[in-house]
Amino acid sequence: MNTPDSGLLLFRNTMRVTEGHLEEFRRAIDRAVAFVERRGPQLMVEVFIDEERMLAHSFQVYRDSDAVREHWKLSDPYIQDVMAHCRVERFEVFGEPDEHVVAGIREALGDAADPVFAPRLTGFVRFGAPRDGRG
């Protein structure tokens, strides 16, 4: 099903893990993800680590800009804990956040990275168990 009026936002954050901080980074990410799984508004969070290149990739899906603001309010201490062990190399936003969220992203990144915004064209969401009995 195409969802033409979808306010969904997908964030992809590519982080360079600080040399010698891999284990601390892992622990901080684990704590942050456990917290948002219990209390955060995200529909999905997945984090992948390329240890050879010391890069981590975080993908987060939000229902809308209000959910992003709620996440920031609830999770700031966890975000700060993670950022003590890495720096943002690239931050991509897929979808169309409101101006407040765009400004918040730009402010949070400062000179670390220039965020990339890509408006949604089309698509669908299939979260949850399949309805046709497969799976």
mmCIF file of all heavy atoms in Angstrom, residues 89-127:
data_model
loop_
_atom_site.group_PDB
_atom_site.id
_atom_site.type_symbol
_atom_site.label_atom_id
_atom_site.label_comp_id
_atom_site.label_asym_id
_atom_site.label_seq_id
_atom_site.Cartn_x
_atom_site.Cartn_y
_atom_site.Cartn_z
ATOM 1 N N GLU A 89 29.991 11.704 11.143
ATOM 2 C CA GLU A 89 30.626 11.923 9.840
ATOM 3 C C GLU A 89 29.602 12.323 8.790
ATOM 4 O O GLU A 89 29.907 13.097 7.895
ATOM 5 C CB GLU A 89 31.345 10.658 9.371
ATOM 6 C CG GLU A 89 32.644 10.439 10.065
ATOM 7 C CD GLU A 89 33.686 9.851 9.145
ATOM 8 O OE1 GLU A 89 33.352 9.295 8.082
ATOM 9 O OE2 GLU A 89 34.862 9.945 9.511
ATOM 10 N N ARG A 90 28.414 11.766 8.893
ATOM 11 C CA ARG A 90 27.367 12.042 7.902
ATOM 12 C C ARG A 90 26.021 11.847 8.587
ATOM 13 O O ARG A 90 25.847 10.915 9.366
ATOM 14 C CB ARG A 90 27.506 11.096 6.718
ATOM 15 C CG ARG A 90 26.548 11.359 5.587
ATOM 16 C CD ARG A 90 26.986 10.564 4.351
ATOM 17 N NE ARG A 90 26.018 10.654 3.282
ATOM 18 C CZ ARG A 90 25.969 11.620 2.375
ATOM 19 N NH1 ARG A 90 26.858 12.592 2.408
ATOM 20 N NH2 ARG A 90 25.055 11.623 1.433
ATOM 21 N N PHE A 91 25.085 12.738 8.301
ATOM 22 C CA PHE A 91 23.743 12.624 8.868
ATOM 23 C C PHE A 91 22.750 12.860 7.741
ATOM 24 O O PHE A 91 22.758 13.921 7.105
ATOM 25 C CB PHE A 91 23.525 13.646 9.987
ATOM 26 C CG PHE A 91 22.332 13.326 10.839
ATOM 27 C CD1 PHE A 91 22.463 12.521 11.953
ATOM 28 C CD2 PHE A 91 21.082 13.820 10.515
ATOM 29 C CE1 PHE A 91 21.362 12.208 12.746
ATOM 30 C CE2 PHE A 91 19.976 13.519 11.289
ATOM 31 C CZ PHE A 91 20.114 12.711 12.415
ATOM 32 N N GLU A 92 21.936 11.852 7.476
ATOM 33 C CA GLU A 92 20.978 11.915 6.382
ATOM 34 C C GLU A 92 19.560 11.803 6.929
ATOM 35 O O GLU A 92 19.296 10.981 7.809
ATOM 36 C CB GLU A 92 21.219 10.780 5.399
ATOM 37 C CG GLU A 92 22.605 10.840 4.760
ATOM 38 C CD GLU A 92 22.962 9.548 4.079
ATOM 39 O OE1 GLU A 92 23.382 8.622 4.792
ATOM 40 O OE2 GLU A 92 22.806 9.465 2.836
ATOM 41 N N VAL A 93 18.687 12.637 6.406
ATOM 42 C CA VAL A 93 17.276 12.620 6.788
ATOM 43 C C VAL A 93 16.468 12.337 5.534
ATOM 44 O O VAL A 93 16.569 13.065 4.547
ATOM 45 C CB VAL A 93 16.842 13.969 7.402
ATOM 46 C CG1 VAL A 93 15.358 13.957 7.730
ATOM 47 C CG2 VAL A 93 17.679 14.289 8.633
ATOM 48 N N PHE A 94 15.673 11.275 5.606
ATOM 49 C CA PHE A 94 14.802 10.904 4.497
ATOM 50 C C PHE A 94 13.372 11.186 4.944
ATOM 51 O O PHE A 94 12.927 10.699 5.975
ATOM 52 C CB PHE A 94 14.994 9.428 4.138
ATOM 53 C CG PHE A 94 16.421 9.126 3.741
ATOM 54 C CD1 PHE A 94 17.356 8.715 4.690
ATOM 55 C CD2 PHE A 94 16.831 9.292 2.429
ATOM 56 C CE1 PHE A 94 18.664 8.463 4.331
ATOM 57 C CE2 PHE A 94 18.146 9.042 2.061
ATOM 58 C CZ PHE A 94 19.062 8.623 3.019
ATOM 59 N N GLY A 95 12.679 12.004 4.184
ATOM 60 C CA GLY A 95 11.358 12.480 4.566
ATOM 61 C C GLY A 95 11.438 13.985 4.737
ATOM 62 O O GLY A 95 12.461 14.602 4.413
ATOM 63 N N GLU A 96 10.357 14.578 5.241
ATOM 64 C CA GLU A 96 10.308 16.035 5.326
ATOM 65 C C GLU A 96 9.970 16.494 6.743
ATOM 66 O O GLU A 96 8.800 16.711 7.057
ATOM 67 C CB GLU A 96 9.305 16.573 4.310
ATOM 68 C CG GLU A 96 9.730 16.237 2.889
ATOM 69 C CD GLU A 96 8.770 16.730 1.840
ATOM 70 O OE1 GLU A 96 8.535 17.950 1.785
ATOM 71 O OE2 GLU A 96 8.249 15.882 1.090
ATOM 72 N N PRO A 97 10.989 16.651 7.581
ATOM 73 C CA PRO A 97 10.742 17.152 8.933
ATOM 74 C C PRO A 97 10.317 18.618 8.886
ATOM 75 O O PRO A 97 10.612 19.327 7.921
ATOM 76 C CB PRO A 97 12.099 16.994 9.625
ATOM 77 C CG PRO A 97 13.091 17.028 8.511
ATOM 78 C CD PRO A 97 12.404 16.419 7.314
ATOM 79 N N ASP A 98 9.651 19.063 9.958
ATOM 80 C CA ASP A 98 9.263 20.474 9.995
ATOM 81 C C ASP A 98 10.493 21.347 10.255
ATOM 82 O O ASP A 98 11.584 20.843 10.536
ATOM 83 C CB ASP A 98 8.137 20.726 11.003
ATOM 84 C CG ASP A 98 8.522 20.463 12.451
ATOM 85 O OD1 ASP A 98 9.713 20.555 12.818
ATOM 86 O OD2 ASP A 98 7.600 20.176 13.237
ATOM 87 N N GLU A 99 10.323 22.660 10.141
ATOM 88 C CA GLU A 99 11.467 23.584 10.247
ATOM 89 C C GLU A 99 12.139 23.524 11.606
ATOM 90 O O GLU A 99 13.353 23.706 11.702
ATOM 91 C CB GLU A 99 11.082 25.043 9.939
ATOM 92 C CG GLU A 99 9.680 25.269 9.572
ATOM 93 C CD GLU A 99 9.326 26.712 9.305
ATOM 94 O OE1 GLU A 99 9.401 27.567 10.187
ATOM 95 O OE2 GLU A 99 8.946 26.953 8.155
ATOM 96 N N HIS A 100 11.373 23.271 12.673
ATOM 97 C CA HIS A 100 11.963 23.175 14.011
ATOM 98 C C HIS A 100 12.934 22.005 14.090
ATOM 99 O O HIS A 100 14.028 22.118 14.651
ATOM 100 C CB HIS A 100 10.855 23.042 15.067
ATOM 101 C CG HIS A 100 11.371 22.881 16.453
ATOM 102 N ND1 HIS A 100 11.482 21.648 17.060
ATOM 103 C CD2 HIS A 100 11.827 23.791 17.347
ATOM 104 C CE1 HIS A 100 11.985 21.808 18.280
ATOM 105 N NE2 HIS A 100 12.200 23.098 18.484
ATOM 106 N N VAL A 101 12.545 20.866 13.540
ATOM 107 C CA VAL A 101 13.421 19.689 13.553
ATOM 108 C C VAL A 101 14.635 19.919 12.657
ATOM 109 O O VAL A 101 15.763 19.580 13.037
ATOM 110 C CB VAL A 101 12.646 18.413 13.170
ATOM 111 C CG1 VAL A 101 13.581 17.236 12.923
ATOM 112 C CG2 VAL A 101 11.636 18.067 14.268
ATOM 113 N N VAL A 102 14.440 20.521 11.487
ATOM 114 C CA VAL A 102 15.572 20.835 10.607
ATOM 115 C C VAL A 102 16.565 21.725 11.346
ATOM 116 O O VAL A 102 17.778 21.463 11.354
ATOM 117 C CB VAL A 102 15.101 21.505 9.297
ATOM 118 C CG1 VAL A 102 16.288 22.046 8.503
ATOM 119 C CG2 VAL A 102 14.294 20.520 8.452
ATOM 120 N N ALA A 103 16.071 22.770 12.011
ATOM 121 C CA ALA A 103 16.948 23.683 12.756
ATOM 122 C C ALA A 103 17.646 22.949 13.899
ATOM 123 O O ALA A 103 18.836 23.165 14.147
ATOM 124 C CB ALA A 103 16.149 24.869 13.286
ATOM 125 N N GLY A 104 16.933 22.064 14.586
ATOM 126 C CA GLY A 104 17.524 21.299 15.684
ATOM 127 C C GLY A 104 18.637 20.380 15.215
ATOM 128 O O GLY A 104 19.665 20.232 15.885
ATOM 129 N N ILE A 105 18.441 19.754 14.075
ATOM 130 C CA ILE A 105 19.478 18.879 13.508
ATOM 131 C C ILE A 105 20.710 19.705 13.155
ATOM 132 O O ILE A 105 21.836 19.344 13.513
ATOM 133 C CB ILE A 105 18.939 18.130 12.270
ATOM 134 C CG1 ILE A 105 17.903 17.092 12.688
ATOM 135 C CG2 ILE A 105 20.086 17.486 11.484
ATOM 136 C CD1 ILE A 105 17.107 16.508 11.537
ATOM 137 N N ARG A 106 20.495 20.822 12.478
ATOM 138 C CA ARG A 106 21.627 21.670 12.079
ATOM 139 C C ARG A 106 22.383 22.181 13.312
ATOM 140 O O ARG A 106 23.619 22.191 13.334
ATOM 141 C CB ARG A 106 21.146 22.831 11.224
ATOM 142 C CG ARG A 106 20.682 22.413 9.852
ATOM 143 C CD ARG A 106 20.397 23.616 8.967
ATOM 144 N NE ARG A 106 19.782 23.258 7.714
ATOM 145 C CZ ARG A 106 20.384 22.705 6.675
ATOM 146 N NH1 ARG A 106 21.667 22.426 6.742
ATOM 147 N NH2 ARG A 106 19.722 22.426 5.567
ATOM 148 N N GLU A 107 21.644 22.591 14.338
ATOM 149 C CA GLU A 107 22.276 23.082 15.564
ATOM 150 C C GLU A 107 23.061 21.988 16.270
ATOM 151 O O GLU A 107 24.193 22.195 16.706
ATOM 152 C CB GLU A 107 21.214 23.647 16.512
ATOM 153 C CG GLU A 107 21.796 24.208 17.790
ATOM 154 C CD GLU A 107 20.727 24.733 18.721
ATOM 155 O OE1 GLU A 107 19.657 25.135 18.251
ATOM 156 O OE2 GLU A 107 20.974 24.713 19.946
ATOM 157 N N ALA A 108 22.477 20.797 16.368
ATOM 158 C CA ALA A 108 23.150 19.684 17.049
ATOM 159 C C ALA A 108 24.435 19.278 16.325
ATOM 160 O O ALA A 108 25.434 18.949 16.963
ATOM 161 C CB ALA A 108 22.208 18.486 17.153
ATOM 162 N N LEU A 109 24.419 19.305 15.006
ATOM 163 C CA LEU A 109 25.596 18.906 14.239
ATOM 164 C C LEU A 109 26.666 19.986 14.207
ATOM 165 O O LEU A 109 27.854 19.676 14.111
ATOM 166 C CB LEU A 109 25.196 18.534 12.811
ATOM 167 C CG LEU A 109 24.375 17.267 12.661
ATOM 168 C CD1 LEU A 109 23.902 17.109 11.221
ATOM 169 C CD2 LEU A 109 25.161 16.049 13.112
ATOM 170 N N GLY A 110 26.267 21.248 14.282
ATOM 171 C CA GLY A 110 27.234 22.334 14.215
ATOM 172 C C GLY A 110 28.108 22.191 12.989
ATOM 173 O O GLY A 110 27.621 21.997 11.874
ATOM 174 N N ASP A 111 29.421 22.251 13.202
ATOM 175 C CA ASP A 111 30.379 22.122 12.102
ATOM 176 C C ASP A 111 30.789 20.673 11.840
ATOM 177 O O ASP A 111 31.586 20.409 10.947
ATOM 178 C CB ASP A 111 31.639 22.938 12.414
ATOM 179 C CG ASP A 111 31.356 24.427 12.447
ATOM 180 O OD1 ASP A 111 30.404 24.867 11.769
ATOM 181 O OD2 ASP A 111 32.085 25.150 13.163
ATOM 182 N N ALA A 112 30.260 19.731 12.640
ATOM 183 C CA ALA A 112 30.673 18.332 12.524
ATOM 184 C C ALA A 112 30.305 17.732 11.170
ATOM 185 O O ALA A 112 31.077 16.971 10.597
ATOM 186 C CB ALA A 112 30.053 17.501 13.641
ATOM 187 N N ALA A 113 29.116 18.055 10.686
ATOM 188 C CA ALA A 113 28.659 17.486 9.411
ATOM 189 C C ALA A 113 27.548 18.364 8.866
ATOM 190 O O ALA A 113 26.814 18.995 9.620
ATOM 191 C CB ALA A 113 28.143 16.066 9.619
ATOM 192 N N ASP A 114 27.439 18.388 7.555
ATOM 193 C CA ASP A 114 26.361 19.116 6.905
ATOM 194 C C ASP A 114 25.260 18.098 6.610
ATOM 195 O O ASP A 114 25.469 17.186 5.807
ATOM 196 C CB ASP A 114 26.879 19.755 5.615
ATOM 197 C CG ASP A 114 25.908 20.750 5.026
ATOM 198 O OD1 ASP A 114 25.048 21.262 5.774
ATOM 199 O OD2 ASP A 114 26.012 21.002 3.819
ATOM 200 N N PRO A 115 24.100 18.207 7.266
ATOM 201 C CA PRO A 115 23.065 17.193 7.054
ATOM 202 C C PRO A 115 22.535 17.208 5.620
ATOM 203 O O PRO A 115 22.541 18.240 4.951
ATOM 204 C CB PRO A 115 21.964 17.596 8.039
ATOM 205 C CG PRO A 115 22.163 19.046 8.271
ATOM 206 C CD PRO A 115 23.638 19.287 8.131
ATOM 207 N N VAL A 116 22.102 16.045 5.182
ATOM 208 C CA VAL A 116 21.536 15.874 3.856
ATOM 209 C C VAL A 116 20.053 15.551 4.039
ATOM 210 O O VAL A 116 19.702 14.690 4.847
ATOM 211 C CB VAL A 116 22.240 14.730 3.100
ATOM 212 C CG1 VAL A 116 21.581 14.466 1.763
ATOM 213 C CG2 VAL A 116 23.727 15.029 2.939
ATOM 214 N N PHE A 117 19.194 16.246 3.298
ATOM 215 C CA PHE A 117 17.753 16.033 3.376
ATOM 216 C C PHE A 117 17.249 15.553 2.018
ATOM 217 O O PHE A 117 17.554 16.164 0.995
ATOM 218 C CB PHE A 117 17.031 17.333 3.759
ATOM 219 C CG PHE A 117 17.387 17.812 5.138
ATOM 220 C CD1 PHE A 117 18.460 18.674 5.322
ATOM 221 C CD2 PHE A 117 16.670 17.392 6.242
ATOM 222 C CE1 PHE A 117 18.808 19.118 6.587
ATOM 223 C CE2 PHE A 117 17.001 17.831 7.520
ATOM 224 C CZ PHE A 117 18.074 18.692 7.695
ATOM 225 N N ALA A 118 16.484 14.470 2.032
ATOM 226 C CA ALA A 118 15.900 13.935 0.803
ATOM 227 C C ALA A 118 14.400 13.766 1.017
ATOM 228 O O ALA A 118 13.987 12.966 1.857
ATOM 229 C CB ALA A 118 16.541 12.593 0.446
ATOM 230 N N PRO A 119 13.581 14.531 0.296
ATOM 231 C CA PRO A 119 12.138 14.391 0.457
ATOM 232 C C PRO A 119 11.640 13.046 -0.074
ATOM 233 O O PRO A 119 12.245 12.465 -0.981
ATOM 234 C CB PRO A 119 11.555 15.548 -0.349
ATOM 235 C CG PRO A 119 12.637 16.025 -1.239
ATOM 236 C CD PRO A 119 13.942 15.558 -0.664
ATOM 237 N N ARG A 120 10.570 12.593 0.497
ATOM 238 C CA ARG A 120 9.970 11.312 0.137
ATOM 239 C C ARG A 120 9.330 11.388 -1.247
ATOM 240 O O ARG A 120 8.712 12.388 -1.593
ATOM 241 C CB ARG A 120 8.911 10.961 1.172
ATOM 242 C CG ARG A 120 8.255 9.627 0.963
ATOM 243 C CD ARG A 120 7.271 9.350 2.101
ATOM 244 N NE ARG A 120 6.677 8.056 1.942
ATOM 245 C CZ ARG A 120 5.664 7.806 1.120
ATOM 246 N NH1 ARG A 120 5.145 8.767 0.405
ATOM 247 N NH2 ARG A 120 5.182 6.582 1.019
ATOM 248 N N LEU A 121 9.466 10.322 -1.994
ATOM 249 C CA LEU A 121 8.811 10.216 -3.296
ATOM 250 C C LEU A 121 7.597 9.290 -3.198
ATOM 251 O O LEU A 121 6.486 9.674 -3.488
ATOM 252 C CB LEU A 121 9.791 9.716 -4.358
ATOM 253 C CG LEU A 121 9.199 9.463 -5.741
ATOM 254 C CD1 LEU A 121 8.636 10.751 -6.324
ATOM 255 C CD2 LEU A 121 10.251 8.863 -6.655
ATOM 256 N N THR A 122 7.837 8.049 -2.764
ATOM 257 C CA THR A 122 6.763 7.064 -2.664
ATOM 258 C C THR A 122 7.236 5.912 -1.807
ATOM 259 O O THR A 122 8.408 5.842 -1.450
ATOM 260 C CB THR A 122 6.317 6.566 -4.054
ATOM 261 O OG1 THR A 122 5.129 5.773 -3.923
ATOM 262 C CG2 THR A 122 7.417 5.780 -4.747
ATOM 263 N N GLY A 123 6.359 5.019 -1.469
ATOM 264 C CA GLY A 123 6.751 3.846 -0.711
ATOM 265 C C GLY A 123 5.612 3.287 0.108
ATOM 266 O O GLY A 123 4.463 3.699 -0.036
ATOM 267 N N PHE A 124 5.938 2.315 0.953
ATOM 268 C CA PHE A 124 4.960 1.726 1.854
ATOM 269 C C PHE A 124 5.694 1.225 3.083
ATOM 270 O O PHE A 124 6.921 1.139 3.095
ATOM 271 C CB PHE A 124 4.173 0.588 1.187
ATOM 272 C CG PHE A 124 5.017 -0.615 0.859
ATOM 273 C CD1 PHE A 124 5.145 -1.663 1.759
ATOM 274 C CD2 PHE A 124 5.688 -0.694 -0.352
ATOM 275 C CE1 PHE A 124 5.923 -2.768 1.462
ATOM 276 C CE2 PHE A 124 6.476 -1.796 -0.656
ATOM 277 C CZ PHE A 124 6.592 -2.834 0.251
ATOM 278 N N VAL A 125 4.946 0.917 4.102
ATOM 279 C CA VAL A 125 5.508 0.384 5.343
ATOM 280 C C VAL A 125 4.860 -0.961 5.613
ATOM 281 O O VAL A 125 3.650 -1.110 5.463
ATOM 282 C CB VAL A 125 5.231 1.350 6.524
ATOM 283 C CG1 VAL A 125 5.700 0.743 7.828
ATOM 284 C CG2 VAL A 125 5.909 2.681 6.281
ATOM 285 N N ARG A 126 5.671 -1.923 6.022
ATOM 286 C CA ARG A 126 5.164 -3.246 6.337
ATOM 287 C C ARG A 126 5.769 -3.710 7.659
ATOM 288 O O ARG A 126 6.417 -4.738 7.724
ATOM 289 C CB ARG A 126 5.501 -4.209 5.214
ATOM 290 C CG ARG A 126 4.751 -5.523 5.319
ATOM 291 C CD ARG A 126 5.059 -6.473 4.176
ATOM 292 N NE ARG A 126 4.456 -5.983 2.953
ATOM 293 C CZ ARG A 126 4.986 -6.146 1.744
ATOM 294 N NH1 ARG A 126 6.130 -6.744 1.581
ATOM 295 N NH2 ARG A 126 4.384 -5.670 0.685
ATOM 296 N N PHE A 127 5.613 -2.929 8.717
ATOM 297 C CA PHE A 127 6.063 -3.340 10.028
ATOM 298 C C PHE A 127 5.034 -4.290 10.621
ATOM 299 O O PHE A 127 3.847 -4.155 10.384
ATOM 300 C CB PHE A 127 6.240 -2.146 10.969
ATOM 301 C CG PHE A 127 7.414 -1.274 10.630
ATOM 302 C CD1 PHE A 127 7.246 0.074 10.407
ATOM 303 C CD2 PHE A 127 8.692 -1.797 10.535
ATOM 304 C CE1 PHE A 127 8.308 0.881 10.103
ATOM 305 C CE2 PHE A 127 9.766 -1.008 10.222
ATOM 306 C CZ PHE A 127 9.579 0.345 10.011
#
